Amino acid sequence: MKKTAVILAALLLLSTVAYPALAFQADTLTISLDQDGNANVAFTYHLSWLEYFAVFTRIADPAFEVQRVLEENLHRPVYVQSAGTDSISLTVEAFARVEKSDGVTTLTTPALSFAAAERVLESYWFAPLISPDFSPTVTKVQFPDGYEETFSEAISIPAITHTYSL
């Protein structure tokens, strides 16, 4: 039985080396802002079987890593609302800067880069075995008045300023 486990582990490792394209892939990122500049963030992704194993065995915790990276870079509290093997839902307090004057509100979001997430993943033992893609297929930033900015396959997004009246 022990010999079978060793052979199975070797085959799994070999298949990972043979198929390095099987890796983390960011699918969608939606940032929905409220009038106070807080953000609800919904992030969906796909994991390779190796990454799924790392999450399942608690070697890696995507929710914790995303929360930590966002707090370090945004210098704001980040709360994990839910996390699974294919999505994370977060709340970020004071994500956007808010300016109000004479019934007009201006929200300014910070610029974001997903390159920091790549650096975090590189610290794990299995990093040489995978080829992650941290640029979401679609990133949407939604404002309280319905205005929306959309980005495709972007590793970073610029700061966005939007003015509206409700």
Side-chain angles (χ1 to χ4, degrees):
M1 186 67 167
K2 185 177 180 183
K3 195 181 251 186
T4 304
V6 170
I7 292 171
L8 181 60
L11 287 174
L12 290 174
L13 182 60
L14 181 60
S15 69
T16 301
V17 173
Y19 297 103
L22 297 175
F24 175 90
Q25 179 181 348
D27 293 328
T28 62
L29 174 65
T30 303
I31 302 168
S32 300
L33 300 166
D34 68 17
Q35 294 178 0
D36 297 322
N38 301 316
N40 289 316
V41 179
F43 182 53
T44 63
Y45 49 85
H46 284 88
L47 298 176
S48 70
W49 66 267
L50 181 62
E51 293 158 331
Y52 182 83
F53 175 78
V55 171
F56 183 75
T57 58
R58 303 204 186 268
I59 293 171
D61 181 354
F64 173 76
E65 296 300 343
V66 170
Q67 179 184 23
R68 185 174 64 87
V69 167
L70 286 174
E71 285 181 338
E72 287 177 3
N73 289 292
L74 298 174
H75 308 290
R76 296 167 177 83
V78 175
Y79 303 99
V80 176
Q81 302 303 321
S82 64
T85 56
D86 63 353
S87 65
I88 298 173
S89 177
L90 308 157
T91 300
V92 182
E93 289 185 2
F95 178 79
R97 189 176 73 242
V98 180
E99 297 174 13
K100 295 182 179 185
S101 177
D102 298 326
V104 174
T105 302
T106 300
L107 294 176
T108 303
T109 65
L112 294 176
S113 174
F114 308 113
E118 289 179 353
R119 288 189 296 276
V120 168
L121 189 63
E122 289 170 358
S123 69
Y124 287 109
W125 64 269
F126 56 83
L129 304 175
I130 60 175
S131 303
D133 179 5
F134 283 95
S135 43
T137 304
V138 176
T139 299
K140 292 183 181 182
V141 180
Q142 302 170 330
F143 291 83
D145 66 339
Y147 176 77
E148 179 177 284
E149 293 238 359
T150 302
F151 303 89
S152 297
E153 300 289 342
I155 192 72
S156 61
I157 59 172
I160 303 167
T161 300
H162 176 64
T163 301
Y164 65 94
S165 60
L166 288 178

